[in-house]
Amino acid sequence: MAIKNAFYAQSGGVTAVINASACGVIQTARKHPDKIGKVFAGRNGIIGALREELIDTSLESDDAIQALIHTPGGAFGSCRHKLKNISENRREYERLIEVFRAHDIGYFFYNGGGDSQDTAYKVSQIADKMGYPITCIGVPKTVDNDLPFTDCCPGFGSVAKYIATSTLEASLDIKSMCETSTKVFILEVMGRHAGWIAASGGLAGQGEGEPPHIILFPEIPFDREAFLARVDHCVKEYGYCVVVASEGAQYEDGRFLADAGAKDAFGHTQLGGVAPALANMVKQALGHKYHWAVADYLQRSARHIASATDVQQAYAVGEAAVEMAISGKQALMPTIVREQAKPYRWKIGEAPLSEVANQEKKMPIHYITDDGFGITQDCRDYLEPLIAGESFPPFDNGLPRVAKLKNQLVEKKLKTPFDL
């Protein structure tokens, strides 16, 4: 089999460990020079392929690639650009194949969530139709933990650890001041349709009255009166109330509490502002002094408190993607398979991209308490292994050390530029 180059790209919102997957892909490819030539990374994701802006990772030292393990963000740049169906936008697919052909690319590794797995699947289909065979393997990543067929998603464990830790620490702050100051604290976390991240805040407390006192899940319709009654009860009973609210919290009719009235590049409703919306309800109905915070990008970039389990799994799926590709497998995504809960044991499995694409895995209803405001023991048993272990980055002068890459582009071979 002729040696072919590989194309790797990062897609969608980045995570604290997506670069660990990149490290897994690149280091594993370097172990197989008889099958894979160079690994080109797309500058800003799939856009890099369309624009023929390919980063030559072979110019990076082994030490620089190894440093990706402890570097958050997307080292090569990411993007939110969803390829439409070929019937709607054939020119993008033709351009991809044109670029792949020009640079002798025979492997395509796309590191992202459900939309990205859909893209990888579409590319595998069109390549066959256009007579240019290319091996397409998806590399799972999403902080939302909503990809199907995998026990968990790389990126989620570290966000969960950050949210559980932040909930615990902020709760101690509120508790110490509630007698004469803030009575209600609301932490807004990510999670459009699935409440996995919000659920992780529940790990902060276990006993009766321990915070968070309320968790708002997208899976449970928001009931304003029940919410306010619970807040008031907690303030009277415990002196304070801590709320962890998913950005995707919604009313029974499907309206988001925090609908910003705009769409993102994938056509998803732009969310933001559930915390101040809830705080305003509390102020108007109950008059309690409050504070709120939005974890926002901090939760997905906090590599300094990453879960060791998450780092290991992120690397493993990158490594597995390359091993699948060179063994001749096609249109698959590596998955995490939970072999045992206690002690936690996992292995790598696989799922077809055709079934993974555009599917969302929501919280099982038995993970949520009957009142809709907390997590059950089953949920706790699921979550705890995913936040286990510490994987601290090296520090220089008090700050985390991060990878510094050259990110040098290869020379373009096509004469025609491409406009998105």
Side-chain angles (χ1 to χ4, degrees):
M1 181 179 175
I3 297 173
K4 292 285 186 177
N5 296 320
F7 175 79
Y8 165 82
Q10 300 173 324
S11 176
V14 294
T15 79
V17 299
I18 189 174
N19 288 331
S21 293
C23 181
V25 168
I26 296 168
Q27 287 186 339
T28 307
R30 288 183 175 185
K31 293 177 182 177
H32 298 279
D34 57 324
K35 295 191 177 174
I36 298 179
K38 293 185 175 183
V39 176
F40 298 131
R43 184 163 79 171
N44 301 321
I46 197 70
I47 289 176
L50 294 170
R51 291 175 174 165
E52 200 185 358
E53 294 176 346
L54 309 180
I55 295 166
D56 188 350
T57 68
S58 71
L59 301 178
E60 310 292 350
S61 69
D62 289 342
D63 287 344
I65 296 302
Q66 179 63 30
L68 289 173
I69 288 248
H70 54 76
T71 302
F76 307 108
S78 185
C79 70
R80 293 192 184 278
H81 181 80
K82 184 175 181 178
L83 292 182
K84 297 179 181 178
N85 292 324
I86 186 170
S87 59
E88 299 176 74
N89 197 350
R90 186 180 181 87
R91 62 187 285 268
E92 287 193 340
Y93 292 93
E94 291 176 340
R95 173 67 173 189
L96 285 178
I97 301 305
E98 187 180 25
V99 171
F100 292 161
R101 181 177 281 117
H103 293 273
D104 200 23
I105 292 169
Y107 303 95
F108 176 43
F109 302 107
Y110 208 27
N111 199 173
D115 289 314
S116 306
Q117 306 310 318
D118 177 60
T119 294
Y121 178 57
K122 287 175 179 174
V123 171
S124 71
Q125 288 183 304
I126 189 61
D128 286 340
K129 292 179 181 178
M130 295 184 65
Y132 184 80
I134 185 166
T135 301
C136 298
I137 303 291
V139 185
K141 171 249 37 161
T142 173
V143 297
D144 291 328
N145 199 39
D146 60 358
L147 283 172
F149 303 107
T150 183
D151 178 70
C152 59
C153 302
F156 169 68
S158 295
V159 170
K161 191 178 185 77
Y162 177 87
I163 293 302
T165 302
S166 297
T167 301
L168 172 62
E169 293 176 340
S171 295
L172 294 172
D173 184 304
I174 302 302
K175 183 179 181 180
S176 67
M177 296 292 293
C178 67
E179 179 67 24
T180 57
S181 187
T182 302
K183 297 281 194 289
V184 179
F185 175 69
I186 302 166
L187 177 62
E188 177 180 328
V189 303
M190 290 177 171
R192 178 179 303 275
H193 296 129
W196 297 103
I197 298 177
S200 67
L203 294 175
Q206 295 190 39
E208 173 64 29
E210 292 185 8
H213 305 101
I214 298 173
I215 303 174
L216 298 180
F217 306 93
E219 291 87 351
I220 303 296
F222 178 72
D223 183 326
R224 183 178 183 277
E225 298 310 315
F227 166 72
L228 291 172
R230 174 68 175 161
V231 171
D232 201 39
H233 167 78
C234 291
V235 171
K236 290 174 179 175
E237 187 75 16
Y238 313 121
Y240 68 112
C241 180
V242 173
V243 181
V244 177
S246 169
E247 64 179 353
Q250 54 191 278
Y251 294 101
E252 193 163 9
D253 63 5
R255 286 181 299 121
F256 290 108
L257 271 69
D259 188 337
K263 303 285 185 182
D264 67 13
F266 291 142
H268 302 146
T269 299
Q270 193 73 42
L271 301 179
V274 70
L278 292 168
N280 191 50
M281 288 182 198
V282 169
K283 178 182 179 181
Q284 290 184 345
L286 305 174
H288 297 312
K289 184 175 181 181
Y290 64 82
H291 269 268
W292 55 265
V294 181
D296 200 52
Y297 283 8
L298 297 178
Q299 66 200 295
R300 74 184 199 196
S301 60
R303 180 58 185 82
H304 64 284
I305 196 171
S307 149
T309 299
D310 194 27
V311 175
Q312 293 161 7
Q313 291 178 340
Y315 185 93
V317 295
E319 179 182 45
V322 174
E323 291 175 345
M324 286 179 180
I326 61 177
S327 68
K329 294 183 177 181
Q330 169 70 305
L332 295 175
M333 181 189 80
T335 61
I336 308 296
V337 178
R338 184 177 299 220
E339 292 187 294
Q340 183 175 300
K342 292 182 180 180
Y344 180 56
R345 289 213 322 260
W346 59 275
K347 66 179 182 179
I348 294 292
E350 60 186 47
L353 289 177
S354 58
E355 296 182 27
V356 174
N358 296 312
Q359 300 296 319
E360 286 183 315
K361 179 179 69 177
K362 296 189 177 184
M363 288 263 295
I365 198 65
H366 69 276
Y367 278 12
I368 302 173
T369 53
D370 291 341
D371 63 7
F373 290 141
I375 61 171
T376 62
Q377 187 60 46
D378 282 348
C379 185
R380 190 177 298 275
D381 291 343
Y382 168 78
L383 291 171
E384 284 180 342
L386 306 184
I387 70 167
E390 287 65 56
S391 179
F392 299 119
F395 281 75
D396 291 325
N397 299 318
L399 291 174
R401 187 189 311 158
V402 297
K404 297 188 182 299
L405 304 181
K406 300 172 185 175
N407 279 355
Q408 185 171 321
L409 298 178
V410 302
E411 185 177 346
K412 292 186 178 183
K413 297 184 178 183
L414 302 177
K415 297 179 180 179
T416 309
F418 189 85
D419 296 323
L420 296 175

